[in-house]
Amino acid sequence: MRIASIRQGVVPISSAIANAYIDFSKMTASVVAVTVEDGAGRRVTGYGFNSNGRYAQPGLLAERFIPRLEACDETVLAAADGTLNVHGAWAAMMRNEKPGGHGDRSVAVGVLDMALWDAAAKLEGKPLWRLLADRYRGGEADEAAWVYAAGGYYYPGKDVEALVEEMKRYLGLGYTTVKMKIGGAPGTAIRDALKEDLARIEAVLKLLGGDGSRLAVDVNGRFGLHAALAYGAALAPFNLRWYEEPLDPLDFATHATLAEHYAPPLATGENLFSMLDARNLIRHGGLRPDRDILQFDPALSYGLVEYLRTLEMLQAHGWSPRRCVPHGGHQFALNIAVGLGLGGNESYPEVFAPFGGFATDTPVVEGRIRMPDLPGIGFEAKNDLWAVLKDL
Ligand SMILES: [Mg+2]
């Protein structure tokens, strides 16, 4: 087993959209291609990228993580059963890295981890979801994954009517649950922003037949406790699917206070990038394992090797993997959802192309999507994404 080559590139995923915290006009993503030879004549290329919200990491990849991966030999890369040892490669990439400070480094490692899992599954001639089910879940995989359509971004000139039209398109694509941004009215006092957001929420709820369980709202970490409680009091009667990232992702004590006052489901975790950060949220964030949703994104948080540790930690704290619905809307997390029995996965039908979305010709039916039976993560079956990756 050896690494034959590693290539990397940076691609733009810019768009005019904004959430309550950032706009996406300068957003980029790293892409990598890792070619592996297994010594038995098989040669495969695995691909990886980082999901939206964090920028490309060409410097970290070039200076530290790619050279460390290139230096791995047979003793590191080959597992006892002859498969590609992704855990060993991961440990080699993290050599000489101090603990703590998870951020851009976790993105760079996550990109390579994704490519290694893609390669490992291709070497075994299996889809990644099947490899994961066989290895970690006694062979049991879900038949389909629940997905919801994330959108409802702020966009210059976008009014309530345009928001409802957008949500209508998602329902037309087969989604049953949708998510919209709130808390982003620029420069507005809380009571005015809340009034505007309630009008937006009520318009979308009307489209959903008044069923709050089909609508989630996302603040992207913008509120302090006062605004989070004011919004929470106004949102509670709608019984929404969830109220996402109302507070700073690392402010665990304030989350705990909010959870004492807001009874319906909360969701957070997309900006926590390690098992240890996730564990602090579980220990100190006051979240409730019977209803709340955890959105750790494996692509942004050191990849699947670390995500497996996070799932183990959750189990030890009494949390089911079904409470996990990863951020990012990518095929990597979708494979993990089906193979490891998560609660579902995010989906971006209209933004973050070509990384958002799933294999071409796999329709969403009643809010669920089936996985194609292709070796690896399945990028080759997603036409727009494959057009970018194959250039590597
Ligand atoms: Mg979010």
Side-chain angles (χ1 to χ4, degrees):
M1 193 79 75
R2 73 178 198 100
I3 304 282
S5 73
I6 304 177
R7 285 138 293 164
Q8 70 147 324
V10 174
V11 293
I13 51 167
S14 60
S15 65
I17 57 174
N19 64 38
Y21 221 105
I22 63 167
D23 74 63
F24 288 85
S25 58
K26 304 264 187 319
M27 188 54 64
T28 56
S30 279
V31 290
V32 298
V34 179
T35 301
V36 183
E37 288 173 0
D38 75 348
R42 270 185 299 252
R43 181 188 171 94
V44 300
T45 299
Y47 297 92
F49 56 81
N50 64 271
S51 62
N52 71 82
R54 300 283 152 171
Y55 297 89
Q57 297 301 329
L60 294 181
L61 285 164
E63 287 167 17
R64 305 215 297 273
F65 299 109
I66 289 177
R68 286 180 201 155
L69 185 54
E70 281 172 334
C72 291
D73 61 13
E74 171 82 16
T75 59
V76 176
L77 294 173
D81 63 358
T83 58
L84 176 62
N85 181 5
V86 182
H87 296 262
W90 191 98
M93 288 195 284
M94 287 296 285
R95 196 167 299 142
N96 288 326
E97 295 290 328
K98 290 178 80 173
H102 315 288
D104 288 339
R105 175 177 78 186
S106 69
V107 174
V109 173
V111 171
L112 290 167
D113 170 286
M114 188 193 295
L116 287 166
W117 284 105
D118 188 32
K122 283 170 176 166
L123 283 172
E124 292 183 39
K126 294 175 180 177
L128 179 60
W129 58 266
R130 170 49 57 201
L131 180 154
L132 295 174
D134 289 349
R135 209 180 274 187
Y136 301 106
R137 208 170 155 222
E140 187 196 336
D142 290 351
E143 260 184 42
W146 176 73
V147 286
Y148 69 95
Y153 285 84
Y154 295 95
Y155 193 94
K158 181 173 171 181
D159 59 10
V160 174
E161 202 179 319
L163 172 69
V164 173
E165 280 307 311
E166 178 193 347
M167 298 299 164
K168 216 181 268 182
R169 288 196 294 278
Y170 299 154
L171 300 183
L173 289 170
Y175 295 92
T176 55
T177 307
V178 295
K179 184 170 86 183
M180 59 186 275
K181 301 297 180 184
I182 61 168
T188 344
I190 292 169
R191 68 170 180 282
D192 297 330
L194 178 56
K195 197 173 153 209
E196 192 181 318
D197 276 331
L198 285 176
R200 296 169 70 239
I201 289 167
E202 278 164 6
V204 174
L205 276 175
K206 197 170 157 207
L207 173 73
L208 300 171
D211 183 353
S213 74
R214 296 174 62 195
L215 175 65
V217 295
D218 186 2
V219 184
N220 289 92
R222 178 175 161 159
F223 291 159
L225 182 59
H226 177 63
L229 288 171
Y231 264 72
L235 295 178
F238 296 126
N239 261 313
L240 297 178
R241 185 62 168 249
W242 65 69
Y243 176 21
E244 176 170 328
E245 239 190 354
L247 298 157
D248 186 278
L250 289 165
D251 190 352
F252 304 131
T254 307
H255 270 99
T257 302
L258 176 63
E260 286 170 0
H261 296 274
Y262 184 76
L266 292 165
T268 189
E270 70 178 70
N271 289 303
L272 299 182
F273 294 151
S274 67
M275 181 278 279
L276 286 159
D277 281 341
R279 191 169 68 186
N280 276 333
L281 174 70
I282 296 303
R283 282 175 175 165
H284 308 295
L287 297 184
R288 303 146 301 186
D290 65 341
R291 75 197 84 161
D292 292 330
I293 297 295
L294 304 170
Q295 300 173 306
F296 317 120
D297 181 343
L300 297 177
S301 51
Y302 293 111
L304 174 54
V305 169
E306 181 80 355
Y307 196 75
L308 287 165
R309 294 184 191 122
T310 297
L311 290 175
E312 211 173 297
M313 174 279 292
L314 289 174
Q315 207 118 32
H317 284 80
W319 283 74
S320 161
R322 295 287 181 205
R323 305 316 307 163
C324 296
V325 180
H327 162 271
H330 44 78
Q331 290 167 287
F332 187 44
L334 190 66
N335 272 271
I336 296 170
V338 167
L340 299 180
L342 307 185
N345 198 36
E346 187 168 21
S347 177
Y348 305 105
E350 293 190 353
V351 290
F352 304 125
F355 299 99
F358 311 120
T360 315
D361 303 326
T362 48
V364 176
V365 180
E366 288 170 13
R368 300 182 74 80
I369 189 164
R370 286 172 174 275
M371 297 300 292
D373 208 351
L374 283 171
I377 293 172
F379 298 134
E380 289 80 355
K382 180 165 164 34
N383 297 345
D384 54 350
L385 178 57
W386 182 235
V388 172
L389 295 178
K390 74 175 170 28
D391 284 345
L392 281 174

PDB file of all heavy atoms in Angstrom, residues 179 181 218 220 244-245 270 295 327 346, ligand 1:
ATOM      1  N   LYS A 179     -35.591  24.781   5.819  1.00  0.00           N
ATOM      2  CA  LYS A 179     -34.958  25.630   6.841  1.00  0.00           C
ATOM      3  C   LYS A 179     -34.698  27.007   6.262  1.00  0.00           C
ATOM      4  O   LYS A 179     -34.314  27.127   5.094  1.00  0.00           O
ATOM      5  CB  LYS A 179     -33.647  24.997   7.303  1.00  0.00           C
ATOM      6  CG  LYS A 179     -32.971  25.757   8.433  1.00  0.00           C
ATOM      7  CD  LYS A 179     -31.803  24.945   9.007  1.00  0.00           C
ATOM      8  CE  LYS A 179     -30.515  25.165   8.253  1.00  0.00           C
ATOM      9  NZ  LYS A 179     -29.405  24.333   8.752  1.00  0.00           N
ATOM     10  N   LYS A 181     -33.049  31.139   7.175  1.00  0.00           N
ATOM     11  CA  LYS A 181     -32.237  31.976   8.045  1.00  0.00           C
ATOM     12  C   LYS A 181     -33.123  33.002   8.750  1.00  0.00           C
ATOM     13  O   LYS A 181     -34.075  33.511   8.154  1.00  0.00           O
ATOM     14  CB  LYS A 181     -31.169  32.701   7.217  1.00  0.00           C
ATOM     15  CG  LYS A 181     -30.238  31.761   6.477  1.00  0.00           C
ATOM     16  CD  LYS A 181     -29.445  30.896   7.429  1.00  0.00           C
ATOM     17  CE  LYS A 181     -28.523  29.950   6.687  1.00  0.00           C
ATOM     18  NZ  LYS A 181     -27.820  29.027   7.599  1.00  0.00           N
ATOM     19  N   ASP A 218     -32.600  29.211  11.496  1.00  0.00           N
ATOM     20  CA  ASP A 218     -31.159  29.193  11.771  1.00  0.00           C
ATOM     21  C   ASP A 218     -30.640  30.615  11.978  1.00  0.00           C
ATOM     22  O   ASP A 218     -30.794  31.464  11.107  1.00  0.00           O
ATOM     23  CB  ASP A 218     -30.446  28.534  10.577  1.00  0.00           C
ATOM     24  CG  ASP A 218     -28.961  28.328  10.828  1.00  0.00           C
ATOM     25  OD1 ASP A 218     -28.480  28.660  11.926  1.00  0.00           O
ATOM     26  OD2 ASP A 218     -28.281  27.822   9.912  1.00  0.00           O
ATOM     27  N   ASN A 220     -27.328  31.221  12.934  1.00  0.00           N
ATOM     28  CA  ASN A 220     -25.888  31.244  12.666  1.00  0.00           C
ATOM     29  C   ASN A 220     -25.075  31.916  13.783  1.00  0.00           C
ATOM     30  O   ASN A 220     -24.102  32.622  13.527  1.00  0.00           O
ATOM     31  CB  ASN A 220     -25.595  31.896  11.311  1.00  0.00           C
ATOM     32  CG  ASN A 220     -26.027  31.001  10.166  1.00  0.00           C
ATOM     33  OD1 ASN A 220     -27.155  31.108   9.676  1.00  0.00           O
ATOM     34  ND2 ASN A 220     -25.165  30.073   9.776  1.00  0.00           N
ATOM     35  N   GLU A 244     -32.006  26.846  15.426  1.00  0.00           N
ATOM     36  CA  GLU A 244     -30.598  26.461  15.222  1.00  0.00           C
ATOM     37  C   GLU A 244     -29.608  27.566  15.559  1.00  0.00           C
ATOM     38  O   GLU A 244     -29.789  28.710  15.159  1.00  0.00           O
ATOM     39  CB  GLU A 244     -30.429  26.041  13.754  1.00  0.00           C
ATOM     40  CG  GLU A 244     -29.003  25.696  13.352  1.00  0.00           C
ATOM     41  CD  GLU A 244     -28.943  25.059  11.965  1.00  0.00           C
ATOM     42  OE1 GLU A 244     -29.891  24.348  11.573  1.00  0.00           O
ATOM     43  OE2 GLU A 244     -27.945  25.289  11.255  1.00  0.00           O
ATOM     44  N   GLU A 245     -28.562  27.179  16.239  1.00  0.00           N
ATOM     45  CA  GLU A 245     -27.414  28.033  16.560  1.00  0.00           C
ATOM     46  C   GLU A 245     -27.827  29.441  16.964  1.00  0.00           C
ATOM     47  O   GLU A 245     -27.362  30.426  16.397  1.00  0.00           O
ATOM     48  CB  GLU A 245     -26.444  28.088  15.368  1.00  0.00           C
ATOM     49  CG  GLU A 245     -25.078  27.590  15.742  1.00  0.00           C
ATOM     50  CD  GLU A 245     -23.995  27.851  14.672  1.00  0.00           C
ATOM     51  OE1 GLU A 245     -24.295  28.324  13.565  1.00  0.00           O
ATOM     52  OE2 GLU A 245     -22.842  27.569  14.976  1.00  0.00           O
ATOM     53  N   GLU A 270     -22.446  22.884  14.333  1.00  0.00           N
ATOM     54  CA  GLU A 270     -21.741  22.921  13.043  1.00  0.00           C
ATOM     55  C   GLU A 270     -20.414  23.665  13.130  1.00  0.00           C
ATOM     56  O   GLU A 270     -19.566  23.515  12.260  1.00  0.00           O
ATOM     57  CB  GLU A 270     -22.631  23.540  11.956  1.00  0.00           C
ATOM     58  CG  GLU A 270     -22.871  25.027  12.135  1.00  0.00           C
ATOM     59  CD  GLU A 270     -23.719  25.625  11.017  1.00  0.00           C
ATOM     60  OE1 GLU A 270     -24.919  25.308  10.962  1.00  0.00           O
ATOM     61  OE2 GLU A 270     -23.191  26.410  10.211  1.00  0.00           O
ATOM     62  N   GLN A 295     -25.167  19.001  15.064  1.00  0.00           N
ATOM     63  CA  GLN A 295     -24.896  19.219  13.637  1.00  0.00           C
ATOM     64  C   GLN A 295     -23.403  19.215  13.280  1.00  0.00           C
ATOM     65  O   GLN A 295     -23.020  19.774  12.255  1.00  0.00           O
ATOM     66  CB  GLN A 295     -25.545  20.542  13.224  1.00  0.00           C
ATOM     67  CG  GLN A 295     -27.057  20.503  13.463  1.00  0.00           C
ATOM     68  CD  GLN A 295     -27.713  21.838  13.239  1.00  0.00           C
ATOM     69  OE1 GLN A 295     -27.315  22.833  13.827  1.00  0.00           O
ATOM     70  NE2 GLN A 295     -28.723  21.866  12.392  1.00  0.00           N
ATOM     71  N   HIS A 327     -24.269  19.191   9.423  1.00  0.00           N
ATOM     72  CA  HIS A 327     -24.222  20.370   8.551  1.00  0.00           C
ATOM     73  C   HIS A 327     -23.472  20.017   7.267  1.00  0.00           C
ATOM     74  O   HIS A 327     -22.660  19.102   7.252  1.00  0.00           O
ATOM     75  CB  HIS A 327     -23.466  21.470   9.308  1.00  0.00           C
ATOM     76  CG  HIS A 327     -22.937  22.589   8.450  1.00  0.00           C
ATOM     77  ND1 HIS A 327     -21.689  22.554   7.861  1.00  0.00           N
ATOM     78  CD2 HIS A 327     -23.492  23.770   8.098  1.00  0.00           C
ATOM     79  CE1 HIS A 327     -21.504  23.680   7.186  1.00  0.00           C
ATOM     80  NE2 HIS A 327     -22.579  24.437   7.307  1.00  0.00           N
ATOM     81  N   GLU A 346     -28.254  17.491   6.157  1.00  0.00           N
ATOM     82  CA  GLU A 346     -28.662  18.745   5.538  1.00  0.00           C
ATOM     83  C   GLU A 346     -28.566  18.629   4.022  1.00  0.00           C
ATOM     84  O   GLU A 346     -27.847  17.775   3.498  1.00  0.00           O
ATOM     85  CB  GLU A 346     -27.736  19.873   6.045  1.00  0.00           C
ATOM     86  CG  GLU A 346     -28.144  21.262   5.603  1.00  0.00           C
ATOM     87  CD  GLU A 346     -27.401  22.377   6.356  1.00  0.00           C
ATOM     88  OE1 GLU A 346     -26.318  22.096   6.917  1.00  0.00           O
ATOM     89  OE2 GLU A 346     -27.913  23.512   6.389  1.00  0.00           O
TER      90      GLU A 346
HETATM   91 MG    MG B   1     -26.552  26.435  10.412  1.00  0.00          MG
END
